[in-house]
Amino acid sequence: MQRRLAAILAADVAGYSRLMGSDDEGTLAGLKACRELIDLKSKQHRGRIVNTPGDSALVEFASAVDAARCAIEIQKEMAERNAVIPENRRIEFRIGINVGDVIVDDRGDIYGDGVNIAARVESLAKPGTLCLSDEAYRQIRGKLPIDVSDMGEHQLKNIAQPVRVYSVWFDDAPPLALPDKPSIAVLPFENLSGDPKQEYFGDGVSEDIITELSRFSDLFVIARNSSFKYKGKAVDVRQVGRELGVRYALEGSIRRGGDRVRISAQLVDSGTGAHRWAERYDRELKDVFAIQDEVARTIAAILAAHVNKAEAERTLLKPPATWQAYDHYMRAAAAWALFQSSWKLDHLQETRRHLAESLNIDPKYARAYSLLASTHRVAWLNPVNEEYLTPATLDRAIRLARTAIEFDPHLPEAYAELAYNIIRKRDFEAAVAAAERVRALNPNFADYRLALVHFAVGDPAKAIEFAKAHMRLDPFHPHFAPLMMGQAHYLLKEYREARHWLREATGRAPDHQYGHAYLAATYAQLGRLEDARAEAAEILRINPKYTISGTQKRVSIFQRSEDILHLVDGLRKAGLPE
């Protein structure tokens, strides 16, 4: 064996199982033509095809620039070919590129983290696009006429350190189409106070404006998770519009000093960059919630003048008693986001510490109760501390969600949390009712928990619909959305499609045991037993006490008995312990 530095291109067909299911002969013929294209472009750019199993390809290059040029030309030619093909029959590749050390055996096959990172990065790309690892991007930056979007750091499966990923987009292929109704992204307000501790204050104003606007059924509002990806970055709102698929962006700044606050806000057309509205508010700190309401209502009126007054009145949230309580809530939300990718106990404990401080200041703060319920639900589901699978922990999560609803009957995330938790008690009817209440309160509420409810009651098609809505409203979605997509496709026995989404989920959160469990079952159903056993080993690495009956059956609650039997069948084939 020998080692060398290489640029690795990994490609995979999006929706391969769906294409094969609808037209297997046509798909195979189209795939053959695509492989010929990859062969041709790889040779033109001095690449060496290492392997082309099934619907994927692996190509080695000596130069990252050559690899990127090859990928771009493949995607552009595929786009031209697909322009005359019906959308449901198009073959579209996801491509990922990484530069790293590889091991080469005597047959010419390559192994190592350099290859693994390329494959994980490929799973993050949208169909018809290209993603680069930070190492690959550093090699080509300034050498090719391309625009990229920073997707942030991702904790990739089996990779020790987080990897920053960049998405390449093409002028003639905008990644997201504009919705039919007025659409907006609220960017994080810039902190001009000169005090880093005030960051949470600005974040809080931005988040509450998102919450207020999202309650208008006539608006399409991007979720906080995606809007906040632009925090601290100098971005062109036209780029924001392309990446998030929205017509408008709201940007602003906050300067807080003593007991006064100055908030500046401006609404920008993301298509032209033109300013549609701007205002500055200079008020006492105690009036800041009134300012938020005023900004949200003004923008709603601009974007959807026909929103009736009664609906506008229902958008009001009861604010916490003081800004100190809100500050602690925002700090808890930041720690919670870290926990959901790292699954480290200290991040969970930090979340709870800030929530305790928040509730100590404002004992009726509904959002804090809802997030606290989430921390106990996750501790029940995952082996992070002694709460794992203890009945009292699940009961506590349900009780906290109900408390949040008691203090704010119009809080959608509290109903989503309640639905997600009571499904574990087999209260299917009440869980569906709570999920439906969420959509009635806030049509823009994007959350995987709604997908899980329909998945559990035996409606995987509806679960896919909700997961897709989550990913559209939150283009930088957490790993739970593709996890739900994969689980739902598994129930439908669409295993190749399930494999794609589950690979994305485990790539983003490699220490989440249930993504690996469904991926192990999926590989087993595909007859790929070696891959299935590798995923089974990952589960036992994360949780050495994992068993099918003692772990998976206790958390996987299905209304239909055939669904749990289907899952258990795959887990047994993967070799997991009973």
Side-chain angles (χ1 to χ4, degrees), residues 324-343:
Q324 286 77 16
Y326 195 85
D327 281 348
H328 281 294
Y329 172 80
M330 292 304 298
R331 292 173 189 270
W336 179 242
L338 285 173
F339 172 75
Q340 290 182 95
S341 61
S342 72
W343 300 95

Side-chain angles (χ1 to χ4, degrees), residues 111-423:
Y111 306 90
D113 280 354
V115 178
N116 295 337
I117 291 174
R120 304 290 182 253
V121 168
E122 172 263 303
S123 71
L124 300 178
K126 297 184 182 299
T129 68
L130 159 67
C131 280
L132 307 167
S133 70
D134 52 353
E135 290 292 339
Y137 181 54
R138 275 197 287 269
Q139 294 287 330
I140 69 172
R141 184 167 48 198
K143 298 175 184 174
L144 293 175
I146 60 173
D147 291 305
V148 301
S149 304
D150 185 350
M151 297 174 66
E153 289 189 340
H154 291 265
Q155 186 67 59
L156 304 177
K157 176 184 173 184
N158 293 338
I159 305 301
Q161 299 299 322
V163 176
R164 185 169 292 278
V165 178
Y166 296 85
S167 175
V168 178
W169 49 274
F170 308 99
D171 290 338
D172 56 348
L176 292 171
L178 290 174
D180 294 333
K181 50 188 177 181
S183 52
I184 184 171
V186 180
L187 302 180
F189 277 36
E190 185 180 1
N191 171 32
L192 301 180
S193 302
D195 180 3
K197 294 181 180 179
Q198 302 301 329
E199 289 292 330
Y200 291 97
F201 182 86
D203 291 351
V205 172
S206 305
E207 180 170 351
D208 267 9
I209 291 173
I210 292 171
T211 302
E212 299 293 337
L213 288 175
S214 68
R215 292 175 181 269
F216 290 93
S217 59
D218 291 317
L219 301 182
F220 183 96
V221 185
I222 290 294
R224 174 195 184 277
N225 179 63
S226 287
S227 292
F228 273 57
K229 287 290 185 181
Y230 300 96
K231 182 177 171 62
K233 300 175 183 176
V235 294
D236 186 330
V237 293
R238 288 171 291 189
Q239 178 185 344
V240 172
R242 287 180 61 87
E243 293 175 359
L244 300 183
V246 292
R247 174 67 70 189
Y248 300 99
L250 179 73
E251 55 185 7
S253 63
I254 289 185
R255 187 186 299 276
R256 179 179 175 183
D259 60 353
R260 297 194 66 81
V261 62
R262 173 175 293 176
I263 299 178
S264 298
Q266 54 190 10
L267 185 68
V268 185
D269 186 318
S270 64
T272 64
H275 288 66
R276 296 299 185 188
W277 168 86
E279 189 60 84
R280 188 176 74 181
Y281 304 88
D282 195 349
R283 308 277 179 83
E284 291 185 9
L285 188 58
K286 65 182 181 181
D287 295 329
V288 74
F289 287 106
I291 297 172
Q292 288 174 207
D293 295 339
E294 187 175 338
V295 172
R297 289 168 184 251
T298 301
I299 295 166
I302 293 170
L303 299 183
H306 55 287
V307 173
N308 62 59
K309 188 173 184 295
E311 185 174 6
E313 292 299 328
R314 288 197 298 272
T315 68
L316 293 178
L317 284 174
K318 182 180 179 181
T322 69
W323 268 106
Q324 286 77 16
Y326 195 85
D327 281 348
H328 281 294
Y329 172 80
M330 292 304 298
R331 292 173 189 270
W336 179 242
L338 285 173
F339 172 75
Q340 290 182 95
S341 61
S342 72
W343 300 95
K344 293 181 179 178
L345 179 59
D346 56 344
H347 291 147
L348 180 67
Q349 292 171 333
E350 183 182 357
T351 303
R352 288 180 175 173
R353 280 197 300 271
H354 284 298
L355 290 174
E357 291 288 345
S358 181
L359 290 170
N360 184 51
I361 297 167
D362 182 0
K364 296 184 178 181
Y365 192 7
R367 294 174 74 187
Y369 280 110
S370 180
L371 184 53
L372 188 58
S374 298
T375 70
H376 289 287
R377 176 252 302 171
V378 164
W380 181 79
L381 280 167
N382 297 277
V384 292
N385 63 8
E386 68 282 356
E387 297 174 85
Y388 181 48
L389 293 179
T390 59
T393 301
L394 181 58
D395 291 341
R396 188 178 302 116
I398 293 171
R399 187 167 61 253
L400 287 166
R402 293 191 188 279
T403 301
I405 292 170
E406 178 184 342
F407 286 128
D408 186 353
H410 300 291
L411 189 65
E413 56 258 47
Y415 287 96
E417 186 63 32
L418 179 64
Y420 195 92
N421 292 336
I422 60 178
I423 208 85

